[in-house]
């Protein structure tokens, strides 16, 4: 990559990069369909996890002669969430919005905590910048929590941008 010797084209990276860019542009063009597909995939994963927890419960019961009811409860919750995600547009819409907003708030709050702790040990010049960014993150998370449309739009936008950037990196790597 960094030498002058002639390199062959990595066609797999080239094809994957083109697919990623195409996928990112498709998400930009059809955000609602992309969001619905994301919800469906998460719903299918939740159903699979529910099935896995049922199998795990049966294995524990057979091998250890003990019933792990927490696995059954977890399985029921996973299956219910999966079914709701697959069959209810509004449930998936609000679940993703709330999850994204909570993730933003919790991650920012943890950053604030780590920044304050680190500042007690070692005074760094970027302490205030990091602290301000963490506080802004908490406020943005609160805003997203009360604005599910904005939250979901950001999720789709970030996914689309990710695919385009990764696609470009793969194409560059191919040559």
């Amino acid at each position: 990559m960094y030498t002058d010797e002639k390199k062959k084209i990595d066609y797999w990276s080239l094809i994957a990069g083109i697919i990623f860019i195409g996928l990112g542009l498709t998400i930009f063009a059809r955000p609602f369909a992309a969001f619905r597909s994301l919800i469906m995939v998460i719903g299918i994963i939740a159903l699979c996890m529910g099935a896995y927890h049922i199998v795990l419960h049966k294995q524990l019961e057979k091998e250890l002669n003990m019933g792990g009811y927490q696995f059954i409860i977890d399985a029921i919750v996973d299956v219910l969430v999966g079914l709701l995600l697959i069959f209810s547009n509004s449930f998936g819409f609000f679940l993703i919005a709330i999850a994204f907003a909570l993730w933003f708030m919790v991650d920012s709050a943890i950053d604030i905590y780590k920044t304050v702790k680190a500042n007690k040990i070692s005074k760094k010049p970027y302490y205030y910048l990091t602290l301000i960014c963490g506080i802004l993150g908490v406020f943005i998370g609160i805003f997203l929590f009360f604005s599910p449309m904005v939250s979901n739009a950001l999720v789709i936008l970030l996914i689309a941008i990710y695919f385009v950037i990764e696609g470009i990196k793969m194409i560059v790597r191919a040559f």
Side-chain angles (χ1 to χ4, degrees):
M1 176 179 232
Y2 300 106
T3 63
D4 288 334
E5 77 181 52
K6 189 131 171 115
K7 179 185 173 198
K8 293 182 181 179
I9 296 175
D10 179 3
Y11 290 104
W12 291 110
S13 291
L14 181 64
I15 292 168
I18 292 169
I19 291 170
F20 268 53
I21 289 174
L23 193 55
L25 295 176
T26 302
I27 293 170
F28 276 124
R30 299 181 48 95
F32 184 74
F35 190 72
R36 185 69 195 124
S37 298
L38 173 68
I39 291 171
M40 291 291 278
V41 168
I42 293 170
I44 291 168
I45 290 169
L47 282 174
C48 292
M49 289 302 295
Y52 171 71
H53 287 133
I54 290 171
V55 169
L56 192 60
H57 167 74
K58 292 291 182 192
Q59 285 178 343
L60 279 175
E61 210 170 45
K62 188 171 59 174
E63 292 175 11
L64 300 176
N65 197 22
M66 63 183 270
Y69 289 101
Q70 68 274 16
F71 289 109
I72 291 295
I73 293 169
D74 197 22
I76 291 169
V77 169
D78 286 345
V79 168
L80 287 175
V81 168
L83 290 173
L84 282 169
L85 285 170
I86 291 170
F87 294 112
S88 172
N89 286 334
S90 58
F91 179 77
F93 176 82
F94 287 110
L95 182 69
I96 298 295
I98 289 169
F100 187 65
L102 286 174
W103 172 47
F104 221 90
M105 286 187 288
V106 169
D107 190 56
S108 297
I110 290 170
D111 281 346
I112 292 169
Y113 174 77
K114 290 189 298 188
T115 300
V116 170
K117 277 288 219 199
N119 192 49
K120 289 179 182 177
I121 298 169
S122 153
K123 304 284 186 204
K124 297 288 182 185
Y126 50 83
Y127 166 76
Y128 291 107
L129 177 64
T130 308
L131 190 63
I132 290 169
C133 288
I135 293 169
L136 282 173
V138 169
F139 284 121
I140 290 170
I142 291 169
F143 170 74
L144 293 175
F145 190 76
F146 292 108
S147 305
M149 291 289 273
V150 174
S151 181
N152 287 334
L154 278 174
V155 168
I156 290 301
L157 179 67
L158 291 173
I159 291 171
I161 290 170
Y162 169 79
F163 277 118
V164 170
I165 289 172
E166 285 301 309
I168 292 169
K169 286 181 359 186
M170 287 179 183
I171 289 172
V172 168
R173 234 180 279 140
F175 296 99

